[in-house]
């Protein structure tokens, strides 16, 4: 099996995934998943598509991850892994879509407007 690559995005985070057959090792920016995401919840989020299909121990995953915060990065990585698994086996797409792993979350931070403190917040109104 050749190396399969896929891309996942969430907020400002971009995850590039390289998937090949192996023992279930996930390496993110040349570090183990346990050191990159110390939170077990984020590790669970990343591994969701693999556990859903029952192939967690079948593939080695190498990841380039940059931008955003840790939650955005974890969800970008989840999308990239799901897309890579669909490239391996297109029949898995419906199962992953039913769980919501194939959908790119389009919500991003709204830009700050000029003359305002934040995107929508106004300065305090003073009558006098």
């Amino acid at each position: 099996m050749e190396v399969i690559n896929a891309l996942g995005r969430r907020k400002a985070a971009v995850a590039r995934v390289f998937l090949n057959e192996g023992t279930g090792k996930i390496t993110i920016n040349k570090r183990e998943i346990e050191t990159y995401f110390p939170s077990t919840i984020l590790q669970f989020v990343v591994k969701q598509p693999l556990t859903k299909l029952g192939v967690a121990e079948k593939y080695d995953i190498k990841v380039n991850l940059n931008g955003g915060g840790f939650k955005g990065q974890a969800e970008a990585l989840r999308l990239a892994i799901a897309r890579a698994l669909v490239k391996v086996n297109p029949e898995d797409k419906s199962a992953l879509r039913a769980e919501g792993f194939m959908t790119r979350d389009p919500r991003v931070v709204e830009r700050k407007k000029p003359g305002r403190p934040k995107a929508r917040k106004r300065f305090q109104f003073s009558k006098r």
Side-chain angles (χ1 to χ4, degrees):
M1 176 183 153
E2 75 282 353
V3 176
I4 292 176
N5 59 338
L7 186 77
R9 290 191 184 95
R10 169 77 170 99
K11 291 185 171 181
V14 180
R16 289 175 193 83
V17 161
F18 303 94
L19 186 112
N20 53 357
E21 284 180 0
T23 58
K25 195 171 148 199
I26 301 175
T27 311
I28 305 166
N29 293 349
K30 297 178 181 170
R31 300 200 315 228
E32 293 296 315
I33 188 169
E34 288 78 19
T35 55
Y36 196 88
F37 290 126
S39 164
T40 51
I41 294 161
L42 293 177
Q43 290 175 29
F44 172 75
V45 165
V46 167
K47 293 175 182 173
Q48 274 178 316
L50 297 165
T51 52
K52 172 70 181 157
L53 299 177
V55 294
E57 311 299 304
K58 200 175 171 191
Y59 300 110
D60 278 348
I61 300 171
K62 211 169 138 251
V63 187
N64 292 339
L65 196 53
N66 63 323
F70 48 85
K71 178 112 165 64
Q73 286 189 344
E75 292 181 8
L77 181 49
R78 179 176 70 182
L79 175 63
I81 289 171
R83 285 178 171 172
L85 291 171
V86 167
K87 280 187 182 178
V88 172
N89 188 2
E91 289 93 62
D92 295 334
K93 188 170 185 175
S94 59
L96 292 172
R97 180 166 294 292
E99 294 288 323
F101 302 146
M102 292 303 296
T103 307
R104 157 67 161 106
D105 195 338
R107 297 174 296 173
V108 292
V109 177
E110 191 174 335
R111 78 177 189 87
K112 185 193 170 301
K113 314 302 186 303
R116 303 248 180 96
K118 287 160 65 175
R120 296 191 177 206
K121 188 176 176 156
R122 265 80 166 164
F123 289 112
Q124 186 173 348
F125 175 73
S126 172
K127 198 168 190 177
R128 284 175 200 90

